[in-house]
Amino acid sequence: MAVDQDPIPQEALPPRWGLAERCEGRFVYRHARPRIDLIADCVPARSHPTLGLCRHWELQYRFFLTDRSVSRSIGRVSTRRAAVDGLLECMRRVHERVSTADDPLTVGTVLEDVSLADLVPDRLSESPP
C-alpha cells in the first residue's frame, strides 16, 4: 500500500469517522462525537528475532474527558492489513452500539468485545478442497 494512500478508503468508513493522522508506521482514525481516536501503531515486537517477528501493530483507543485523555490497548496484530481490519471492525462496533454522545465507559466495553483473533487468516480454509 502506498504511503500517500489512506489505509481505509473514505467510502468504507462508518459515519462520523475520518482519518486524523497518517505516517508510515502509524495511523489514527477519529470519531467526532463522542471524540474517540482509534490508533494503529507499528512497534518493535518483544520476541526473539529468530521467531521472525520483529515488529507488530498495536491497536489502541483514546477517549477524551473534560480535563484529560485516556488511552487503552485493544490488542496486537502482526500485519498492517490486520491492523486496518481491526480498526475498521472497532469503528463499526462503536457506530452500531454507542448511542450516547459522552459515554467513554460504553465505548470501552464495546471495544473489549472485539476479537482480533478473528482477523488472523485460517490457513486450512485457504487451501483448495
Side-chain angles (χ1 to χ4, degrees):
M1 178 178 291
V3 175
D4 62 340
Q5 182 180 359
D6 289 351
I8 303 171
Q10 184 66 33
E11 61 273 7
L13 296 174
R16 295 185 300 280
W17 285 97
L19 185 64
E21 178 184 332
R22 178 191 65 211
C23 61
E24 187 174 330
R26 178 182 171 92
F27 49 92
V28 179
Y29 281 87
R30 182 166 291 149
H31 187 269
R33 189 147 169 77
R35 180 151 175 226
I36 305 162
D37 288 350
L38 292 176
I39 304 157
D41 202 5
C42 190
V43 297
R46 296 181 186 142
S47 64
H48 195 279
T50 59
L51 296 175
L53 184 63
C54 59
R55 301 185 70 79
H56 64 260
W57 288 83
E58 184 168 358
L59 305 182
Q60 301 175 14
Y61 70 98
R62 179 173 50 211
F63 58 90
F64 299 84
L65 302 173
T66 306
D67 59 343
R68 63 191 159 116
S69 67
V70 178
S71 296
R72 299 276 195 285
S73 178
I74 298 169
R76 294 179 184 92
V77 293
S78 59
T79 65
R80 180 183 169 110
R81 179 77 253 159
V84 166
D85 291 345
L87 289 191
L88 190 54
E89 179 61 23
C90 289
M91 286 181 226
R92 288 181 182 141
R93 297 267 181 115
V94 168
H95 175 71
E96 292 170 357
R97 297 186 186 171
V98 179
S99 59
T100 59
D102 297 309
D103 191 1
L105 296 177
T106 301
V107 171
T109 302
V110 166
L111 294 177
E112 287 172 6
D113 290 341
V114 174
S115 173
L116 298 177
D118 295 341
L119 304 173
V120 177
D122 179 3
R123 295 219 182 261
L124 296 175
S125 65
E126 292 176 1
S127 58

